[in-house]
């Protein structure tokens, strides 16, 4: 496969699946066509609905098979793992990733091993157990879980799944779906940022159309390393020590795609904003009042839309609602 590092601009080619560049940054896969086993549980083709009261569109990614957008990438990663003959798959997670990888692994008769943070909700743990995941829990931060998982992967030759290059190839399809559902390009897409993988995927998806769609990413104010860097126009960011937010699905202290996201912001005029837990609670409630039940991190997109409403009110805006409220 061919790879590209957006930070040091190095190109790689390898038969082995590569995750990181020699500079430490995560790698993008740049092959046009990836050939491996197709695994599907019916992910994708989620509805795009119009919320008349606010004149915005909502992309209902929480309607994917396990209740989050993660299923799009899991289909690709697990398909690859099957093709390569892996029997065990490991991933680090605050919840959604673990749940999704576990469902797809079990579907494909592989064994899922999930490294979980302390903040993972009981409902997500219940879902994980139901999918026969081997659970290793108790990590204080996502960063800690991730480092441990990556170490175990190299020691045991387990397939490492998570927010890496392969996942982008599944998630970028969201952009194509939005365009075909709208019959047009949106002006602005607002997405939550955890590891920044979805932000990057949306950019990759829309840039295939060679038209500009502004991407706005949202972090929780209790875990906002990229927001802080963006506010200072810095290309580097300082990881936060410990996430202090109830929005566990976006609580990544040291986002894997952080440097790539910041670079894209400066190059394409994208933005990063933050939302407090209080404002996310309010947005979640508002959406609930419209019959839409999402998790806190997903509601962050509405918080930022409401903050920027004067600027955005004549634009075609799409919010990506990433995860279901039933899991929180
Ligand atoms: Zn590099």
């Amino acid at each position: 496969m061919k790879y590209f590092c957006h930070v040091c601009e190095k190109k790689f080619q390898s038969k082995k699946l590569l995750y990181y560049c020699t500079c430490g940054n995560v790698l993008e896969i740049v092959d046009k066509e990836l050939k491996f086993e197709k695994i599907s549980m019916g992910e994708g083709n989620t509805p795009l609905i119009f919320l008349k009261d606010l004149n915005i569109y909502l992309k209902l990614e929480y309607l994917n098979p396990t209740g989050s957008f993660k299923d799009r990438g899991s289909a690709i990663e697990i398909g690859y793992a099957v093709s390569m003959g892996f029997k065990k798959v490991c991933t680090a997670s605050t919840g959604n990733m673990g749940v999704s990888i576990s469902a797809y692994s079990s579907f494909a008769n592989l064994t899922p091993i999930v490294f979980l943070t302390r903040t993972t909700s009981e409902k997500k743990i219940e879902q994980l157990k139901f999918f026969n995941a081997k659970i290793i829990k108790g990590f204080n931060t996502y960063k800690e879980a991730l480092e441990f998982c990556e170490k175990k992967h190299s020691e045991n030759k387990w397939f490492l799944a998570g927010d890496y290059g392969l996942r982008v190839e599944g998630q970028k399809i969201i952009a194509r779906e939005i365009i075909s559902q709208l019959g047009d390009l949106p002006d602005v897409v607002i997405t939550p940022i955890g590891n920044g993988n979805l932000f990057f995927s949306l950019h990759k998806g829309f840039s295939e159309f060679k038209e500009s769609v502004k991407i706005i990413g949202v972090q929780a104010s209790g875990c906002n390393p990229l927001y802080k860097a963006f506010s200072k126009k810095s290309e580097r960011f300082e990881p936060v020590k410990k996430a202090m937010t109830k929005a566990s699905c976006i609580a990544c202290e040291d986002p894997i795609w952080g440097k790539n996201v910041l670079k894209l912001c400066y190059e394409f005029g994208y933005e990063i904003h933050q939302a407090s837990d209080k404002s996310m609670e309010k947005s979640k409630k508002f959406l609930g009042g419209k019959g839409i039940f999402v998790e806190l991190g997903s509601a962050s997109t509405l918080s930022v839309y409401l903050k920027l409403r004067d600027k955005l009110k004549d634009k075609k805006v799409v919010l990506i609602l990433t995860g279901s409220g039933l899991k929180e």
Side-chain angles (χ1 to χ4, degrees), residues 5-10 12 21-25 27:
C5 172
H6 282 261
V7 170
C8 70
E9 300 187 348
K10 233 186 245 170
F12 297 85
C21 175
T22 45
C23 78
N25 185 50
L27 286 168

Side-chain angles (χ1 to χ4, degrees), residues 41-60:
M41 293 182 75
E43 65 290 333
N45 289 316
T46 55
L48 181 79
I49 61 169
F50 183 61
L51 186 59
K52 204 174 161 198
D53 301 24
L54 293 177
N55 191 33
I56 52 174
Y57 293 88
L58 308 173
K59 181 71 171 154
L60 308 186

Side-chain angles (χ1 to χ4, degrees), residues 30-47:
V30 290
D31 281 32
K32 285 266 181 296
E33 273 180 52
L34 303 171
K35 286 191 189 94
F36 46 81
E37 183 104 6
K38 183 152 172 52
I39 300 279
S40 176
M41 293 182 75
E43 65 290 333
N45 289 316
T46 55

Side-chain angles (χ1 to χ4, degrees), residues 223-239:
C223 187
N224 59 357
L226 301 184
Y227 169 76
K228 277 194 214 145
F230 180 74
S231 313
K232 289 186 284 187
K233 297 279 166 265
S234 167
E235 290 213 1
R236 294 180 172 277
F237 68 93
E238 275 297 314

